Amino acid sequence: NTSIDEDIIKEQKDSEIRTLRNKNKILVQRLSNRRWLTEATTDYIKQFDVPKNIYISTKAREKEEYIAALLLSDLHLEEKVSFAQTGGLAQYDFNIFRRRLWLCIEKSIYLTELRRKSVPVNDLNLFMLGDYISGEIHDELVRTNQFSAMTAVIEGAHIVAQAISSLVPYFRDIKIVFV
C-alpha cells in the first residue's frame, strides 16, 4: 500500500514538473518574441533623423488656447489591500486613497501653472472613468473591504467633491466627463 501511494505521489510530481516545464517553455518563447519586437522597433526608429532641438514660435502659440486634462479612474476607495496580498509590493486603503487624490490635485495645479508660463491654459477637462466603488461583487471584497459600498459612496463623494472644488480657483471652466 505504501509503494502504491509513493508511486501515485511520484506520478503527480512528475506530471507537475512536465506542466511547469511546458509553461516555462511558453514563457521563454514569449520573452524571446518581445525581445525581437523591441529590437526590431528600435532598429526601425533609428532610421529616422530626429532633430535635437525643436523650436516652436511663441507667436504661434499665443493664438492658441490649451485645455488641461485630468483623469480620475479606478479609485476602488473602499478596498483594503495589505502588503501580504501584493507580495510586499504595495498596500491600499481609504487613507492612502485620500493622500493620492490630494497629491494628484496638487500636482495637476502645479503642472498647469508651470505650463501657463508659456501658453494660456484656462480650462480643465476632468475625465471620471469609473470603478470608484468596488462594491461587493466578490465574496473576497465582502470580507476585505474597509467599509460598505454605501459608506464608500458617501465618504468618497465628499472627498472627491472637495478635490474638484479645490480646482475651481485655478480654471475658468471645468468640464466633467463621466463614463
Side-chain angles (χ1 to χ4, degrees):
N1 205 10
T2 305
S3 176
I4 294 173
D5 290 342
E6 289 173 355
D7 289 343
I8 291 172
I9 291 171
K10 183 180 181 323
E11 180 56 39
Q12 287 173 340
K13 295 289 184 189
D14 288 344
S15 174
E16 188 177 333
I17 289 170
R18 282 191 301 274
T19 301
L20 290 173
R21 282 185 179 150
N22 286 335
K23 286 182 180 180
N24 186 49
K25 184 178 178 182
I26 291 168
L27 290 173
V28 167
Q29 287 173 342
R30 286 182 184 166
L31 181 59
S32 175
N33 289 339
R34 285 186 182 166
R35 284 187 182 141
W36 175 85
L37 182 60
T38 301
E39 289 170 4
T41 303
T42 302
D43 291 342
Y44 180 73
I45 291 172
K46 286 179 182 177
Q47 297 175 19
F48 297 100
D49 183 28
V50 179
K52 294 193 187 320
N53 296 315
I54 300 174
Y55 175 76
I56 300 173
S57 168
T58 306
K59 292 178 185 175
R61 287 190 285 168
E62 288 174 2
K63 296 177 184 176
E64 296 181 49
E65 189 171 296
Y66 291 76
I67 299 173
L70 176 58
L71 170 68
L72 292 179
S73 176
D74 296 286
L75 303 179
H76 302 279
L77 52 91
E78 85 279 24
E79 284 190 34
K80 183 174 178 123
V81 180
S82 68
F83 277 116
Q85 290 171 290
T86 63
L89 295 176
Q91 65 180 6
Y92 188 75
D93 61 22
F94 190 73
N95 286 328
I96 292 170
F97 151 71
R98 286 193 342 216
R99 286 195 309 269
R100 287 181 183 174
L101 178 62
W102 287 108
L103 179 64
C104 176
I105 297 299
E106 178 184 303
K107 293 302 180 185
S108 297
I109 293 168
Y110 169 78
L111 291 170
T112 301
E113 292 297 322
L114 186 64
R115 188 71 176 137
R116 283 180 174 152
K117 291 179 179 179
S118 59
V119 297
V121 181
N122 296 314
D123 298 334
L124 170 68
N125 285 344
L126 174 56
F127 300 97
M128 302 177 79
L129 300 186
D131 283 339
Y132 284 48
I133 308 295
S134 299
E136 297 162 354
I137 58 174
H138 304 291
D139 290 339
E140 173 198 355
L141 294 176
V142 173
R143 290 189 309 275
T144 61
N145 279 353
Q146 199 166 356
F147 35 79
S148 72
M150 185 55 68
T151 302
V153 168
I154 294 166
E155 295 293 325
H158 180 71
I159 300 289
V160 172
Q162 285 180 334
I164 294 170
S165 294
S166 72
L167 293 167
V168 170
Y170 297 94
F171 298 96
R172 175 183 63 198
D173 187 37
I174 298 176
K175 178 181 176 184
I176 302 175
V177 179
F178 293 96
V179 174

